[in-house]
Amino acid sequence: YVLLPNVWLFESFGKFLFTFSDLGVGWLIMKICELRKVENLSVWCGLWIFHPLAVNISTRGNADSIACLFILLTIYNQLRGNELYASMSYGFAVHFRVFPVFFGP
């Protein structure tokens, strides 16, 4: 159902969705590194955003970037102490893909 706008709006909707999910993953990596006080934030964000494998997978229509976004959103909310939002984003991650179950408690 996520890719139905490919039919209704325009054919590249999924590519834009997955690309913006990759950008969101890079932003969440930056925020998590800021909370953990990690140096060289731009290096860690750039490793995800400019990684050729991640770019190739997301622009070809694989939804793993959305699952990564929800997993990192879970970690970010857990680090900030937002248990409700962390559990909601973990639920979305598991609902979207099955493999985040292995990252849980």
Side-chain angles (χ1 to χ4, degrees):
Y1 293 112
V2 174
L3 295 178
L4 281 178
N6 274 356
V7 178
W8 296 331
L9 297 176
F10 60 101
E11 292 180 2
S12 298
F13 177 80
K15 292 183 181 192
F16 284 109
L17 176 69
F18 301 140
T19 302
F20 284 123
S21 295
D22 271 338
L23 292 175
V25 167
W27 182 78
L28 279 171
I29 289 172
M30 181 185 70
K31 289 299 188 182
I32 290 171
C33 287
E34 284 176 357
L35 286 174
R36 304 288 296 172
K37 295 180 178 57
V38 175
E39 296 178 4
N40 300 328
L41 294 176
S42 60
V43 171
W44 295 111
C45 296
L47 281 176
W48 177 266
I49 292 174
F50 297 116
H51 193 277
L53 187 62
V55 170
N56 192 14
I57 288 173
S58 67
T59 56
R60 288 186 180 241
N62 196 340
D64 284 338
S65 61
I66 295 176
C68 290
L69 180 73
F70 283 129
I71 291 168
L72 286 176
L73 194 60
T74 302
I75 293 170
Y76 177 69
N77 285 321
Q78 187 73 28
L79 287 174
R80 292 190 63 207
N82 297 332
E83 299 293 328
L84 178 65
Y85 294 137
S87 61
M88 287 173 48
S89 58
Y90 182 68
F92 283 131
V94 171
H95 181 70
F96 201 74
R97 292 272 196 199
V98 177
F99 70 86
V101 169
F102 300 114
F103 301 135

